[in-house]
Amino acid sequence: MTPERRDPVAVAVSLALLRVARVLVPLARRRAWSDEWEAEIRHRWGAAARRGAVPLGEQVDLVRRSSGSFVDAAWLRRQFTTDAESVHDVRDSVRLLARHPRFAVAAIATLALGIGAATTVFSVVDAALLEPLPFREPDRLVRLWERRPADGRERDQVGAATLADWREQARSFSGLAAWISWDFALRDGGEPVAIPAARVSTNLFSVLGVRPALGRDFLAEEEEKGRERVALLAHGLWRSRFGGDPGVIGRTVGLDDESYVVVGVMPEGFTFPEEGPGLWVPLAFLPDELRSRSQRMFSVIGRLAPGAGLPEARAEMSVLASRLAAEHPETNRGWEVEAAPAVEAAREGARGPLLSLLAAVALVLLIACANVSSLLLARGAARRQELSVRSALGASRARLLRSLLTEALVLAAIGGALGVAFAHGGVRAARVLAAGHLPPWNPVEVDGAVLAFALATIAFVSVLSGLAPGLTSTAELGRESVRAGRPGAGGARTARLTHGVVVVETALCIVLLVGAGLLVRSLLRLLEQDPGFRPHGLVSASIFLPDKRYPEDAQQVRFFEELLERVRRLPGVESVGATTTLPMNPVGIDHDMPFGIEGTASLTADPPPEADFRIASDDYFRTMGIPLLAGRPFLPTDDQRGRRVAIISRATAERYLPGQDPVGRTLYWGSSRRNATEIVGVVGEVRHRGLETSPRPEMYLPFRQVSYGSLVVVARASGDAGALGRLLAQQVVALDPALAVSDLSTMEGLVSASLAGRRLVLAILGSFAAFALVLAATGVYGVVSFTTARRTHEFGVRVALGARARDLERLVLRDTIARVAVGIALGIPAALAAARLLRAWLFRVGPADPLTLVAVVGVLASVAVGCSLPPARRATRVDPAVALRGE
Amino acid sequence: MNVTYTTALVLEAISSGYHYGFDVMDVTGLPSGTVYPALRRLEDEGLLRSRWEKATLAHDEGRPPRRYYEATGSGERWLEQARARFRLLEAAVPPKLKPARAQG
């Protein structure tokens, strides 16, 4: 405003009015508002003055109009206030919470833990199941397997010769690539280190659509034997072993006994097939690999050709498989092709457990909401006087509801902010815990999607926990029953809702407790399982003899003979053995061998029966504690000059030679079943692929007769198994410094690792269940305290009429037990339905395991009673005189 | 928004070429305490838009620039409906013959 001294009276008065009215206008609009008014006033005066002296009537009119600016300013103020009410509500809520810190802390902590847990679980779900795989058009990638449904073999790997036919003939794929995980002893100066690696088709990275960050991709011709001495490094290995030096390209590194030229470095974060490979080398098939169809050991991925879809690819592969079955009946009869989207295959293992955990955390969050709801309800009752006054002064029910919801929103926002902070820690823990259990391609982190989830959760939580108490408190205003009276009480609706909270919490809690209980029972059952050997005190290490260094079978046998002898002489070693693959070990050679036993139908059966085929040293069974049930173990005389011998497991004997003595019978093995072998012994069966699997038919051959360049040495220690491991590795290096030992582990570690995924799910679900129980306990405590407090008057009357403390106590307990019973009745069917989701994780325990149900109900009921006792006791100490005076 | 006769009258005036608050009062006879809130509401609803007169013009007269209102497309459509409802609306505002500035 630009007041001037020469202003005529009418203008001066008008501007003065304006200056007063201006105060009402919201700050943001004040300047524009007064400019607009002043411009009109001055313009009007100027126009009139130019016509001559301004008549008095016009001057009065100008002042009158200016006084209208008050109406205008007030209108703007009112508009603004309506918008600003929410700001006001927030300020009010914060002030209220600060005045009731115990309530605020309880509610915020509950929500922070609930939202934090939910956000953490979601960040894992997001990384593992929702974010796209970091490959080009990941939806066009397809995993391929061989399968023979006739004997329940789904998703076997692929034989090399079959793979070669696929790559040559399949038209629905623009590229098919294979890989096999491989350990190399990396030598670059110092001691050799075992590096997990992968031999991959040279087109693997172009099929995936990933290019090296440095250097070049493999060339197609590097798949030819003799040209494959090139390597691509993983970013991590490049940083850790080569100091991130770009000059590494072109350098030579020693892998096993060969020299490889580094041609490139893959981008940071890239890993395939899963977490771990430090480097990749071309998969150039060894001649015997390329001839083989029955050694199904290569994993295959393909990219659909432009225009081709999965159904076409499946149809084509199925035709191809029947053709191969006809051409190579001895190895391929009955074998089909299984194809599935690679994305699905990658996520399959994680989906079930993660969705169960997401469901579990949702339940925890619901219980947290129920708790906060009951806290808000109690607060609503305590605020009744304030709300009544506001209502009497004209605040509408919607307006009051909005203030109450704002309170819930403020709680949820503060809790949510803390929860996101928790989630940052939770995510770090999840990365450590879940390593190796999740698809490794996307990092678990609190990113935009996770924050959006947290925000949505906050909104959901504030409505869910605030709406019911808000509606209840406002509905009871102005009712006769609640006219200004005892503070802290509430009407019948409040009472119903608090009881509802107990019912809901009990029901939700049961679902979680039953889930956790079933998993605990399954784990206990599993630990009771006899693995078929004695894991305690066993230590093992994998040794791989490179072909170039040990070209002759005899050399390989001699190496292992010497190594076993050296280890046997070590102090603290009871016995030592070797085999191709240990039970519970994810690494090792493990394949099926067709066989037939003379004089039984198995010899002519088509397709032939198959047994897990393993090589074993003389002392392997004694070392492992696998009982010899008949015949003899392998002996040093079972060598190239001796008669071919085999030992079979009891399961094999019982299935193929029921009621007969297997010792002395002749067994034929191999795809043409020509290798005649005498069965010299029967050993106990082993749960080779995990405690939850049933033993499969097994047959063992002596390591001196069938030589393998890669064996696992296992020793039984009389003392510390861990210390023995280092000694064992030293013996290998002492024999041949070019070798590296990998997978050094204790057998107990392997058994435990085979249960790690299950333990992890149990630990997480268990902590959710424990958290839920604590929430439910505090919830029940809170509700009982609140309801007994509002019944003080009634209790006073009862005492005055002669009721004893014990009667009141029983009264309170009976009420709680009734609500809990309703909760249990509702919760059990829900728990039974939810337990079905866990079916894959249950072991020898039904989803409706009665023991679990009884235990859970017992725990919940006693916790509920335990939590309502203290408030009940307090209620019984009521002094009737005091209680009635409160009227 | 509510179709009241007063609001419709204010918009009719703007649409007929009376672009300033005081001019609208002149032609409609409504008091400032009615016209201004109506203008604010119409602008909030997007039936009107406003801009400021050129600063040079205002400077010559030694006053702040005036606020100039005009009906938007949806304002004109809304007005059509209002005219159907209030038959005499158009007649209530005499058509403006000369642009406002020409008078000054």
Side-chain angles (χ1 to χ4, degrees), chain A residues 36 40 43-44 65 68 72, chain B residues 26 32-33 36 40 64 66 69:
Chain A
E36 178 175 8
E40 290 301 319
H43 174 263
R44 173 56 47 112
R65 281 189 180 185
D72 185 25
Chain B
D26 291 342
S32 61
Y36 271 107
R40 315 275 180 230
R66 298 176 79 189
Y69 292 90

Side-chain angles (χ1 to χ4, degrees), chain A residues 813-865:
Chain A
L813 281 186
R814 207 183 54 204
D815 275 4
T816 311
I817 289 170
R819 316 291 173 226
V820 170
V822 175
I824 289 173
L826 291 175
I828 284 181
L832 291 181
R836 284 164 189 282
L837 293 177
L838 286 175
R839 193 160 253 169
W841 295 83
L842 299 187
F843 182 76
R844 303 223 172 141
V845 173
D849 180 45
L851 187 65
T852 307
L853 286 178
V854 168
V856 163
V857 168
V859 166
L860 250 181
S862 41
V863 165
V865 169

Side-chain angles (χ1 to χ4, degrees), chain A residues 417-497:
Chain A
L418 286 174
V420 169
F422 285 165
H424 273 283
V427 156
R428 220 166 298 146
R431 274 189 219 138
V432 176
L433 288 173
H437 298 287
L438 292 178
W441 295 287
N442 294 309
V444 176
E445 60 192 4
V446 179
D447 56 13
V450 173
L451 284 179
F453 172 84
L455 280 180
T457 308
I458 289 171
F460 170 77
V461 160
S462 45
V463 171
L464 197 65
S465 54
L467 197 58
L471 285 174
T472 307
S473 309
T474 52
E476 284 176 349
L477 286 177
R479 292 255 180 104
E480 198 58 24
S481 63
V482 292
R483 85 192 119 64
R486 304 177 301 281
R493 272 165 169 260
T494 303
R496 267 204 306 279
L497 196 58

Side-chain angles (χ1 to χ4, degrees), chain A residues 348-425:
Chain A
E348 218 164 40
R351 175 170 289 125
L354 282 183
L355 292 185
S356 312
L357 289 184
L358 199 60
V361 85
L363 293 183
V364 171
L365 198 61
L366 287 179
I367 296 178
C369 286
N371 255 14
V372 173
S373 216
S374 79
L375 286 172
L376 282 171
L377 201 57
R379 294 272 315 119
R383 282 174 75 178
R384 212 185 61 246
Q385 213 140 13
E386 172 217 330
L387 295 176
S388 308
V389 170
R390 283 174 70 183
S391 167
L393 288 177
S396 64
R397 184 176 175 200
R399 176 75 193 85
L400 294 179
L401 188 59
R402 210 159 47 185
S403 340
L404 290 171
L405 274 178
T406 307
E407 196 173 3
L409 182 66
V410 166
L411 287 173
I414 300 175
L418 286 174
V420 169
F422 285 165
H424 273 283

Side-chain angles (χ1 to χ4, degrees), chain A residues 193-212:
Chain A
V193 214
I195 296 283
R199 293 167 64 201
V200 304
S201 300
T202 49
N203 63 338
L204 175 71
F205 302 114
S206 63
V207 164
L208 295 177
V210 179
R211 303 183 50 79

